Amino acid sequence: MSITANIRELQAKLPPQTRLVAVSKYKPNEDIQTAYDAGQRMFGESRVQELVAKHEALPADIEWHFIGHLQKNKVKYLAPFVQLIHGVDSLQLLQQIDKEGKKNGRIIDCLLQFHIAQEETKFGLSLEEAHELLASSAFGELKHTRICGVMGMASYTDNQPQVQAEFAQLRSIFQQLQVEFFGTEPSFKEISMGMSGDYELAIAQGSTLIRVGSALFGSR
Ligand SMILES: *Cc1c(COP(=O)(O)O)cnc(C)c1O
């Protein structure tokens, strides 16, 4: 199927609380423009240089999300325009984003990434580490970042009950943090989970942002 048909079909089946981040990493600008012309506005990239180049070349009203592992020394390239940074997994990174947010006169929206998969290799915080981060005085001093929710990646497996349990765990983490740290703050609202192979399970567990690449653009 074409990119246009893939976008339309997926958009049409999303429940109202779930939005699509089209993951366009490694894909050419033409593919992004095609998706844009089909009405898609949120795009996700995992490499800083690639994201910056695409931001410069493509329509200005695209909302660019950074979904990869962000190195502190590269935050400055994203800070002027990035819409949401999904993968924040340390106070040090958050402090760097805050510093660059200040320089750019803006508040940068971020998600805390959690380690929910069984695999050892995936990045992310534990609930305990997140508690420590959010309760710290250093976090309380940040003025140019805003934590809008949580993000996670499930195990890469055909075992659906396992994937479902991991997504349920992320939703439970979101709910606990909301109660303990964010109260009724309306900006704390995002649960970023679900990719091409598992977005249906993620939606069923309350995902508000699915990050889908290959199911839209073809394999990489
Ligand atoms: C690449 C990537 C995706 C999209 O993966 P697909 O399987 O192609 O949908 C989602 N999230 C993250 C963090 C990624 O790196």
Side-chain angles (χ1 to χ4, degrees), residues 47-56 64 66 70-83 85 93 96-97 99-101 103-104 106 108:
R47 294 192 306 184
V48 171
Q49 263 155 319
E50 187 177 345
L51 198 170
V52 169
K54 287 174 172 175
H55 166 252
E56 283 166 8
W64 292 105
F66 189 78
L70 184 55
Q71 290 170 291
K72 288 205 291 280
N73 61 353
K74 295 199 172 158
V75 174
K76 58 178 178 283
Y77 303 114
L78 301 182
F81 68 90
V82 71
Q83 190 79 24
I85 297 175
L93 176 59
Q96 185 65 29
I97 298 169
K99 193 170 140 193
E100 296 296 333
K103 279 191 200 161
N104 286 277
R106 61 189 296 249
I108 300 177

Side-chain angles (χ1 to χ4, degrees), residues 26-129:
Y26 311 117
K27 293 293 176 182
N29 290 350
E30 301 82 80
D31 288 4
I32 300 173
Q33 185 67 50
T34 301
Y36 179 92
D37 293 339
Q40 181 65 29
R41 290 295 177 272
M42 285 164 49
F43 291 88
E45 290 281 337
S46 60
R47 294 192 306 184
V48 171
Q49 263 155 319
E50 187 177 345
L51 198 170
V52 169
K54 287 174 172 175
H55 166 252
E56 283 166 8
L58 286 155
D61 64 338
I62 288 180
E63 294 182 18
W64 292 105
H65 290 214
F66 189 78
I67 63 168
H69 187 67
L70 184 55
Q71 290 170 291
K72 288 205 291 280
N73 61 353
K74 295 199 172 158
V75 174
K76 58 178 178 283
Y77 303 114
L78 301 182
F81 68 90
V82 71
Q83 190 79 24
L84 184 63
I85 297 175
H86 286 236
V88 175
D89 63 358
S90 74
L91 177 62
Q92 290 73 18
L93 176 59
L94 198 59
Q95 286 172 316
Q96 185 65 29
I97 298 169
D98 199 83
K99 193 170 140 193
E100 296 296 333
K102 184 175 184 186
K103 279 191 200 161
N104 286 277
R106 61 189 296 249
I107 293 170
I108 300 177
D109 286 343
C110 299
L111 304 180
L112 292 179
Q113 181 170 359
F114 285 87
H115 183 275
I116 54 169
Q118 310 246 316
E119 287 120 72
E120 276 300 321
T121 55
K122 303 247 161 92
F123 295 105
L125 298 161
S126 65
L127 184 55
E128 196 183 344
E129 289 166 334

Side-chain angles (χ1 to χ4, degrees), residues 8 28 50 71 75 82 85 104 157 163 172 180 184 197 199 203:
R8 295 220 168 113
E50 187 177 345
Q71 290 170 291
V75 174
V82 71
I85 297 175
N104 286 277
T157 169
V163 172
S172 159
E180 291 175 52
T184 55
Y199 67 83
I203 290 170

